[in-house]
Amino acid sequence: SSPDSDGCTPELEKAGLLNKTKIAEGGRKLRKNWSPSWVVLVGNSLVFFKDPKSQTPSSWKPGNSRPESSVDLRGAKLHWANDLSSKKNVFRLRTVTGNEFLLQSETNSLIKEWYITIQSVIDRLDRE
Ligand code: I3P
């Protein structure tokens, strides 16, 4: 069912708008700075783009849509983390390099789908 039967292009699993903050970099704690992020799950990576809606019309051009950052999901850990925020529907993603992110949505069903889909990619990579 893959549109990319030769396997040269990583498969797009999911994309959407979530609230995001990075809380640690290489194991060092960072100050929270929540902002909306366009999140794309593709291949083995979670890729973050600045929310186009938060930008001025002139700053948002197709050529400007370079990722803000990208996370390698191999060996990553996912945990529900409602204890780490006053917000609801929050989970924490921790990479093998000690980078930690909180991701959040006001919509419970939406954040559950993200959790399940990211976990399934982590599980697939664990089996490789
Ligand atoms: C933080 C800001 C965050 C909040 C965080 C505050 O204050 O209000 O939204 O996290 O709480 O410290 P500031 O803007 O002054 O940095 P949540 O929204 O996730 O609760 P925390 O320090 O308890 O994590």
Side-chain angles (χ1 to χ4, degrees):
S1 65
S2 169
D4 176 41
S5 51
D6 64 359
C8 289
T9 309
E11 199 160 336
L12 177 69
E13 309 262 5
K14 197 166 177 61
L17 198 60
L18 294 174
N19 294 315
K20 184 198 78 169
T21 182
K22 195 172 187 178
I23 58 166
E25 165 88 39
R28 290 178 71 96
K29 197 169 180 283
L30 298 175
R31 185 171 176 180
K32 276 180 182 168
N33 182 21
W34 286 102
S35 61
S37 182
W38 184 255
V39 184
V40 178
L41 180 56
V42 60
N44 303 347
S45 299
L46 199 61
V47 186
F48 301 120
F49 295 83
K50 284 192 173 145
D51 172 19
K53 288 198 279 296
S54 73
Q55 302 190 357
T56 63
S58 59
S59 75
W60 179 250
K61 302 192 187 82
N64 284 354
S65 60
R66 275 185 299 112
E68 191 182 23
S69 60
S70 159
V71 168
D72 182 1
L73 292 174
R74 193 179 295 275
K77 301 286 185 200
L78 207 54
H79 293 283
W80 289 109
N82 288 315
D83 56 327
L84 294 182
S85 176
S86 60
K87 301 180 195 302
K88 62 178 182 179
N89 304 328
V90 178
F91 64 72
R92 180 180 58 154
L93 175 66
R94 187 182 191 284
T95 68
V96 285
T97 56
N99 294 341
E100 296 183 40
F101 301 85
L102 299 183
L103 293 170
Q104 189 265 348
S105 168
E106 288 303 306
T107 308
N108 182 255
S109 57
L110 199 146
I111 201 73
K112 277 183 179 163
E113 282 177 24
W114 273 101
Y115 187 97
I116 289 165
T117 311
I118 294 171
Q119 188 62 60
S120 73
V121 171
I122 293 171
D123 290 345
R124 167 171 61 74
L125 292 168
D126 280 348
R127 287 192 304 269
E128 278 180 11

